[in-house]
Amino acid sequence: GAGVSQSPSNKVTEKGKDVELRCDPISGHTALYWYRQRLGQGLEFLIYFQGNSAPDKSGLPSDRFSAERTGESVSTLTIQRTQQEDSAVYLCASSPRGDEQFFGPGTRLTVL
Amino acid sequence: QQQVKQSPQSLIVQKGGIPIINCAYENTAFDYFPWYQQFPGKGPALLIAIRPDVSEKKEGRFTISFNKSAKQFSLHIMDSQPGDSATYFCAASPNTGNQFYFGTGTSLTVIP
């Protein structure tokens, strides 16, 4: 079956612009995670959705970052007023039970 | 504060060698310890995972050794192949199964 998909695969934007990144999880997966991966570094947790529970937003680095998820389907990560330090690969993962995670290919964001 | 500490940062071995990657943690609430493999331009993929009720788990050429008292776990790759060249991440999650904490990654190169 289809895996986790993310769009766009690459995004180049100017400093100060807003961007929206999309994640389509595997059907039936109740858990969804967003991570940020800077070049050559590990995965930085951003936010976690589990079913209809309130999301765990503890990893969001600033109030410029927000995310939404519609039920157990698509999620969007929005970064407002982008800064150069936001440049990274943004990874989405879904999980059927909150343990094994299946990652998408990521969106590479470049802020000029 | 890095919840999961991973070493070494990079590793070069000859084909057939046994690279070992180590991770350490402090939070005794962690009860799920996965290892992920990531190739350039791709999202991480689950390789193998362990829970603290066992001290070792093998899947093919990959083995996790787990030392609960020392709060350490390691990945061993038997008979390593050039195709194993990738970045490896350890991770840990508490029994609530929500936020995952990743190590900083180990870049493995297997020389033919």
Side-chain angles (χ1 to χ4, degrees), chain A residues 79-112:
Chain A
I79 308 174
Q80 296 178 311
R81 305 181 302 282
T82 52
Q83 303 295 313
Q84 288 183 331
E85 63 262 27
D86 299 334
S87 295
V89 174
Y90 289 83
L91 290 161
C92 172
S94 70
S95 175
R97 295 171 299 276
D99 46 20
E100 181 177 357
Q101 296 183 60
F102 297 81
F103 282 84
T107 293
R108 181 174 298 277
L109 174 66
T110 303
V111 182
L112 301 177

mmCIF file of all heavy atoms in Angstrom, chain A residues 79-112:
data_model
loop_
_atom_site.group_PDB
_atom_site.id
_atom_site.type_symbol
_atom_site.label_atom_id
_atom_site.label_comp_id
_atom_site.label_asym_id
_atom_site.label_seq_id
_atom_site.Cartn_x
_atom_site.Cartn_y
_atom_site.Cartn_z
ATOM 1 N N ILE A 79 4.498 27.484 8.813
ATOM 2 C CA ILE A 79 5.540 28.331 9.386
ATOM 3 C C ILE A 79 5.281 29.742 8.889
ATOM 4 O O ILE A 79 5.306 30.011 7.681
ATOM 5 C CB ILE A 79 6.949 27.874 8.981
ATOM 6 C CG1 ILE A 79 7.143 26.379 9.271
ATOM 7 C CG2 ILE A 79 7.998 28.694 9.733
ATOM 8 C CD1 ILE A 79 8.467 25.821 8.754
ATOM 9 N N GLN A 80 5.017 30.637 9.820
ATOM 10 C CA GLN A 80 4.755 32.030 9.461
ATOM 11 C C GLN A 80 6.049 32.836 9.544
ATOM 12 O O GLN A 80 6.945 32.540 10.352
ATOM 13 C CB GLN A 80 3.715 32.620 10.414
ATOM 14 C CG GLN A 80 2.347 31.943 10.318
ATOM 15 C CD GLN A 80 1.356 32.527 11.309
ATOM 16 O OE1 GLN A 80 1.655 32.664 12.496
ATOM 17 N NE2 GLN A 80 0.180 32.878 10.835
ATOM 18 N N ARG A 81 6.110 33.856 8.715
ATOM 19 C CA ARG A 81 7.245 34.796 8.742
ATOM 20 C C ARG A 81 8.575 34.027 8.803
ATOM 21 O O ARG A 81 9.368 34.180 9.727
ATOM 22 C CB ARG A 81 7.119 35.740 9.931
ATOM 23 C CG ARG A 81 5.791 36.492 9.968
ATOM 24 C CD ARG A 81 5.710 37.449 11.162
ATOM 25 N NE ARG A 81 5.869 36.780 12.444
ATOM 26 C CZ ARG A 81 4.933 36.079 13.067
ATOM 27 N NH1 ARG A 81 3.742 35.919 12.510
ATOM 28 N NH2 ARG A 81 5.181 35.527 14.240
ATOM 29 N N THR A 82 8.806 33.196 7.803
ATOM 30 C CA THR A 82 9.962 32.305 7.826
ATOM 31 C C THR A 82 11.270 33.068 8.022
ATOM 32 O O THR A 82 11.440 34.209 7.552
ATOM 33 C CB THR A 82 10.047 31.485 6.535
ATOM 34 O OG1 THR A 82 9.971 32.372 5.397
ATOM 35 C CG2 THR A 82 8.938 30.458 6.461
ATOM 36 N N GLN A 83 12.179 32.402 8.714
ATOM 37 C CA GLN A 83 13.526 32.912 8.969
ATOM 38 C C GLN A 83 14.529 31.945 8.343
ATOM 39 O O GLN A 83 14.212 30.765 8.112
ATOM 40 C CB GLN A 83 13.776 33.020 10.468
ATOM 41 C CG GLN A 83 12.766 33.890 11.206
ATOM 42 C CD GLN A 83 12.846 35.346 10.782
ATOM 43 O OE1 GLN A 83 13.947 35.911 10.714
ATOM 44 N NE2 GLN A 83 11.706 35.946 10.477
ATOM 45 N N GLN A 84 15.748 32.410 8.139
ATOM 46 C CA GLN A 84 16.758 31.557 7.520
ATOM 47 C C GLN A 84 17.049 30.319 8.373
ATOM 48 O O GLN A 84 17.329 29.251 7.832
ATOM 49 C CB GLN A 84 18.030 32.352 7.244
ATOM 50 C CG GLN A 84 17.864 33.346 6.104
ATOM 51 C CD GLN A 84 19.141 34.085 5.766
ATOM 52 O OE1 GLN A 84 19.996 34.291 6.615
ATOM 53 N NE2 GLN A 84 19.256 34.495 4.507
ATOM 54 N N GLU A 85 16.933 30.452 9.687
ATOM 55 C CA GLU A 85 17.204 29.298 10.549
ATOM 56 C C GLU A 85 16.113 28.232 10.460
ATOM 57 O O GLU A 85 16.261 27.133 11.017
ATOM 58 C CB GLU A 85 17.387 29.719 12.012
ATOM 59 C CG GLU A 85 16.174 30.357 12.645
ATOM 60 C CD GLU A 85 16.234 31.875 12.638
ATOM 61 O OE1 GLU A 85 16.896 32.439 11.737
ATOM 62 O OE2 GLU A 85 15.608 32.472 13.540
ATOM 63 N N ASP A 86 15.011 28.545 9.755
ATOM 64 C CA ASP A 86 13.971 27.540 9.547
ATOM 65 C C ASP A 86 14.348 26.567 8.422
ATOM 66 O O ASP A 86 13.676 25.549 8.234
ATOM 67 C CB ASP A 86 12.632 28.198 9.199
ATOM 68 C CG ASP A 86 12.117 29.119 10.291
ATOM 69 O OD1 ASP A 86 12.482 28.897 11.478
ATOM 70 O OD2 ASP A 86 11.371 30.061 9.967
ATOM 71 N N SER A 87 15.386 26.887 7.682
ATOM 72 C CA SER A 87 15.810 26.001 6.585
ATOM 73 C C SER A 87 16.192 24.641 7.138
ATOM 74 O O SER A 87 17.043 24.527 8.036
ATOM 75 C CB SER A 87 17.007 26.618 5.842
ATOM 76 O OG SER A 87 16.642 27.817 5.208
ATOM 77 N N ALA A 88 15.557 23.606 6.636
ATOM 78 C CA ALA A 88 15.758 22.241 7.130
ATOM 79 C C ALA A 88 14.894 21.306 6.295
ATOM 80 O O ALA A 88 14.130 21.753 5.426
ATOM 81 C CB ALA A 88 15.359 22.134 8.598
ATOM 82 N N VAL A 89 15.018 20.026 6.583
ATOM 83 C CA VAL A 89 14.078 19.044 6.040
ATOM 84 C C VAL A 89 13.024 18.789 7.108
ATOM 85 O O VAL A 89 13.363 18.539 8.270
ATOM 86 C CB VAL A 89 14.780 17.728 5.664
ATOM 87 C CG1 VAL A 89 13.752 16.680 5.242
ATOM 88 C CG2 VAL A 89 15.781 17.965 4.537
ATOM 89 N N TYR A 90 11.770 18.890 6.719
ATOM 90 C CA TYR A 90 10.672 18.640 7.649
ATOM 91 C C TYR A 90 10.094 17.272 7.335
ATOM 92 O O TYR A 90 9.621 17.010 6.233
ATOM 93 C CB TYR A 90 9.631 19.760 7.543
ATOM 94 C CG TYR A 90 10.166 21.040 8.121
ATOM 95 C CD1 TYR A 90 10.977 21.887 7.367
ATOM 96 C CD2 TYR A 90 9.914 21.394 9.448
ATOM 97 C CE1 TYR A 90 11.526 23.034 7.903
ATOM 98 C CE2 TYR A 90 10.449 22.547 9.997
ATOM 99 C CZ TYR A 90 11.261 23.357 9.225
ATOM 100 O OH TYR A 90 11.806 24.491 9.772
ATOM 101 N N LEU A 91 10.158 16.401 8.324
ATOM 102 C CA LEU A 91 9.730 15.013 8.157
ATOM 103 C C LEU A 91 8.424 14.769 8.899
ATOM 104 O O LEU A 91 8.233 15.235 10.021
ATOM 105 C CB LEU A 91 10.796 14.066 8.708
ATOM 106 C CG LEU A 91 12.098 13.975 7.910
ATOM 107 C CD1 LEU A 91 13.205 13.395 8.765
ATOM 108 C CD2 LEU A 91 11.896 13.131 6.666
ATOM 109 N N CYS A 92 7.574 14.011 8.260
ATOM 110 C CA CYS A 92 6.316 13.585 8.869
ATOM 111 C C CYS A 92 6.362 12.068 9.022
ATOM 112 O O CYS A 92 6.950 11.370 8.180
ATOM 113 C CB CYS A 92 5.152 13.993 7.969
ATOM 114 S SG CYS A 92 3.551 13.345 8.451
ATOM 115 N N ALA A 93 5.796 11.561 10.089
ATOM 116 C CA ALA A 93 5.712 10.114 10.296
ATOM 117 C C ALA A 93 4.327 9.778 10.832
ATOM 118 O O ALA A 93 3.730 10.569 11.566
ATOM 119 C CB ALA A 93 6.790 9.639 11.269
ATOM 120 N N SER A 94 3.834 8.620 10.469
ATOM 121 C CA SER A 94 2.582 8.148 11.061
ATOM 122 C C SER A 94 2.810 6.799 11.711
ATOM 123 O O SER A 94 3.788 6.100 11.407
ATOM 124 C CB SER A 94 1.460 8.086 10.016
ATOM 125 O OG SER A 94 1.660 7.044 9.079
ATOM 126 N N SER A 95 1.925 6.436 12.605
ATOM 127 C CA SER A 95 2.081 5.205 13.373
ATOM 128 C C SER A 95 0.703 4.624 13.685
ATOM 129 O O SER A 95 -0.221 5.361 14.017
ATOM 130 C CB SER A 95 2.844 5.496 14.673
ATOM 131 O OG SER A 95 2.904 4.344 15.497
ATOM 132 N N PRO A 96 0.581 3.308 13.600
ATOM 133 C CA PRO A 96 -0.723 2.711 13.899
ATOM 134 C C PRO A 96 -1.059 2.701 15.393
ATOM 135 O O PRO A 96 -2.227 2.747 15.765
ATOM 136 C CB PRO A 96 -0.585 1.285 13.363
ATOM 137 C CG PRO A 96 0.879 1.013 13.371
ATOM 138 C CD PRO A 96 1.559 2.325 13.130
ATOM 139 N N ARG A 97 -0.010 2.639 16.213
ATOM 140 C CA ARG A 97 -0.268 2.493 17.661
ATOM 141 C C ARG A 97 0.562 3.451 18.504
ATOM 142 O O ARG A 97 0.508 3.384 19.722
ATOM 143 C CB ARG A 97 0.085 1.050 18.096
ATOM 144 C CG ARG A 97 -0.768 -0.034 17.500
ATOM 145 C CD ARG A 97 -0.156 -1.392 17.849
ATOM 146 N NE ARG A 97 1.187 -1.526 17.317
ATOM 147 C CZ ARG A 97 1.484 -1.913 16.088
ATOM 148 N NH1 ARG A 97 0.502 -2.190 15.242
ATOM 149 N NH2 ARG A 97 2.744 -2.005 15.689
ATOM 150 N N GLY A 98 1.346 4.301 17.855
ATOM 151 C CA GLY A 98 2.206 5.184 18.627
ATOM 152 C C GLY A 98 3.549 4.568 18.947
ATOM 153 O O GLY A 98 4.292 5.118 19.752
ATOM 154 N N ASP A 99 3.879 3.420 18.317
ATOM 155 C CA ASP A 99 5.236 2.910 18.490
ATOM 156 C C ASP A 99 5.979 2.967 17.150
ATOM 157 O O ASP A 99 6.613 3.973 16.869
ATOM 158 C CB ASP A 99 5.254 1.516 19.113
ATOM 159 C CG ASP A 99 4.246 0.553 18.478
ATOM 160 O OD1 ASP A 99 3.800 0.817 17.334
ATOM 161 O OD2 ASP A 99 3.922 -0.445 19.096
ATOM 162 N N GLU A 100 5.892 1.939 16.334
ATOM 163 C CA GLU A 100 6.621 1.976 15.072
ATOM 164 C C GLU A 100 6.159 3.145 14.211
ATOM 165 O O GLU A 100 4.971 3.311 13.945
ATOM 166 C CB GLU A 100 6.416 0.675 14.296
ATOM 167 C CG GLU A 100 7.157 0.640 12.982
ATOM 168 C CD GLU A 100 7.018 -0.673 12.253
ATOM 169 O OE1 GLU A 100 6.375 -1.583 12.807
ATOM 170 O OE2 GLU A 100 7.548 -0.785 11.134
ATOM 171 N N GLN A 101 7.121 3.946 13.766
ATOM 172 C CA GLN A 101 6.812 5.105 12.938
ATOM 173 C C GLN A 101 7.221 4.843 11.501
ATOM 174 O O GLN A 101 8.278 4.284 11.237
ATOM 175 C CB GLN A 101 7.552 6.339 13.454
ATOM 176 C CG GLN A 101 7.111 6.765 14.837
ATOM 177 C CD GLN A 101 7.799 8.021 15.280
ATOM 178 O OE1 GLN A 101 7.699 9.065 14.661
ATOM 179 N NE2 GLN A 101 8.517 7.925 16.369
ATOM 180 N N PHE A 102 6.400 5.299 10.595
ATOM 181 C CA PHE A 102 6.670 5.212 9.165
ATOM 182 C C PHE A 102 6.845 6.641 8.660
ATOM 183 O O PHE A 102 5.927 7.452 8.749
ATOM 184 C CB PHE A 102 5.513 4.520 8.440
ATOM 185 C CG PHE A 102 5.307 3.089 8.865
ATOM 186 C CD1 PHE A 102 4.613 2.795 10.027
ATOM 187 C CD2 PHE A 102 5.809 2.050 8.101
ATOM 188 C CE1 PHE A 102 4.435 1.473 10.432
ATOM 189 C CE2 PHE A 102 5.624 0.732 8.489
ATOM 190 C CZ PHE A 102 4.934 0.436 9.658
ATOM 191 N N PHE A 103 8.027 6.911 8.147
ATOM 192 C CA PHE A 103 8.366 8.276 7.752
ATOM 193 C C PHE A 103 8.078 8.528 6.272
ATOM 194 O O PHE A 103 8.230 7.635 5.426
ATOM 195 C CB PHE A 103 9.859 8.547 7.999
ATOM 196 C CG PHE A 103 10.188 8.828 9.434
ATOM 197 C CD1 PHE A 103 10.410 7.791 10.326
ATOM 198 C CD2 PHE A 103 10.265 10.137 9.892
ATOM 199 C CE1 PHE A 103 10.717 8.050 11.654
ATOM 200 C CE2 PHE A 103 10.567 10.405 11.215
ATOM 201 C CZ PHE A 103 10.795 9.363 12.103
ATOM 202 N N GLY A 104 7.702 9.756 5.985
ATOM 203 C CA GLY A 104 7.631 10.220 4.611
ATOM 204 C C GLY A 104 9.004 10.639 4.132
ATOM 205 O O GLY A 104 9.974 10.628 4.899
ATOM 206 N N PRO A 105 9.105 11.048 2.865
ATOM 207 C CA PRO A 105 10.399 11.425 2.296
ATOM 208 C C PRO A 105 10.872 12.801 2.723
ATOM 209 O O PRO A 105 12.035 13.148 2.507
ATOM 210 C CB PRO A 105 10.151 11.386 0.793
ATOM 211 C CG PRO A 105 8.691 11.679 0.672
ATOM 212 C CD PRO A 105 8.039 11.063 1.872
ATOM 213 N N GLY A 106 9.990 13.583 3.339
ATOM 214 C CA GLY A 106 10.373 14.897 3.816
ATOM 215 C C GLY A 106 10.138 16.009 2.816
ATOM 216 O O GLY A 106 10.000 15.784 1.610
ATOM 217 N N THR A 107 10.072 17.227 3.345
ATOM 218 C CA THR A 107 10.039 18.448 2.531
ATOM 219 C C THR A 107 11.287 19.245 2.873
ATOM 220 O O THR A 107 11.512 19.573 4.038
ATOM 221 C CB THR A 107 8.804 19.311 2.829
ATOM 222 O OG1 THR A 107 7.636 18.629 2.414
ATOM 223 C CG2 THR A 107 8.907 20.654 2.110
ATOM 224 N N ARG A 108 12.088 19.534 1.838
ATOM 225 C CA ARG A 108 13.293 20.334 2.053
ATOM 226 C C ARG A 108 12.921 21.804 1.897
ATOM 227 O O ARG A 108 12.519 22.235 0.828
ATOM 228 C CB ARG A 108 14.387 19.963 1.052
ATOM 229 C CG ARG A 108 15.677 20.756 1.242
ATOM 230 C CD ARG A 108 16.779 20.267 0.320
ATOM 231 N NE ARG A 108 17.114 18.874 0.605
ATOM 232 C CZ ARG A 108 17.930 18.491 1.563
ATOM 233 N NH1 ARG A 108 18.499 19.385 2.338
ATOM 234 N NH2 ARG A 108 18.190 17.212 1.735
ATOM 235 N N LEU A 109 13.014 22.543 2.994
ATOM 236 C CA LEU A 109 12.671 23.967 2.991
ATOM 237 C C LEU A 109 13.948 24.802 2.992
ATOM 238 O O LEU A 109 14.829 24.593 3.835
ATOM 239 C CB LEU A 109 11.829 24.321 4.226
ATOM 240 C CG LEU A 109 11.515 25.800 4.420
ATOM 241 C CD1 LEU A 109 10.606 26.304 3.298
ATOM 242 C CD2 LEU A 109 10.873 26.049 5.776
ATOM 243 N N THR A 110 14.020 25.718 2.065
ATOM 244 C CA THR A 110 15.130 26.660 1.986
ATOM 245 C C THR A 110 14.573 28.066 2.075
ATOM 246 O O THR A 110 13.720 28.452 1.268
ATOM 247 C CB THR A 110 15.923 26.497 0.678
ATOM 248 O OG1 THR A 110 16.388 25.150 0.566
ATOM 249 C CG2 THR A 110 17.113 27.450 0.649
ATOM 250 N N VAL A 111 15.036 28.798 3.063
ATOM 251 C CA VAL A 111 14.611 30.184 3.250
ATOM 252 C C VAL A 111 15.762 31.097 2.845
ATOM 253 O O VAL A 111 16.850 31.050 3.436
ATOM 254 C CB VAL A 111 14.194 30.453 4.704
ATOM 255 C CG1 VAL A 111 13.713 31.885 4.857
ATOM 256 C CG2 VAL A 111 13.112 29.477 5.145
ATOM 257 N N LEU A 112 15.542 31.897 1.821
ATOM 258 C CA LEU A 112 16.603 32.771 1.299
ATOM 259 C C LEU A 112 16.649 34.101 2.050
ATOM 260 O O LEU A 112 15.632 34.550 2.589
ATOM 261 C CB LEU A 112 16.385 33.022 -0.187
ATOM 262 C CG LEU A 112 16.356 31.755 -1.063
ATOM 263 C CD1 LEU A 112 16.048 32.131 -2.497
ATOM 264 C CD2 LEU A 112 17.684 31.014 -0.973
#
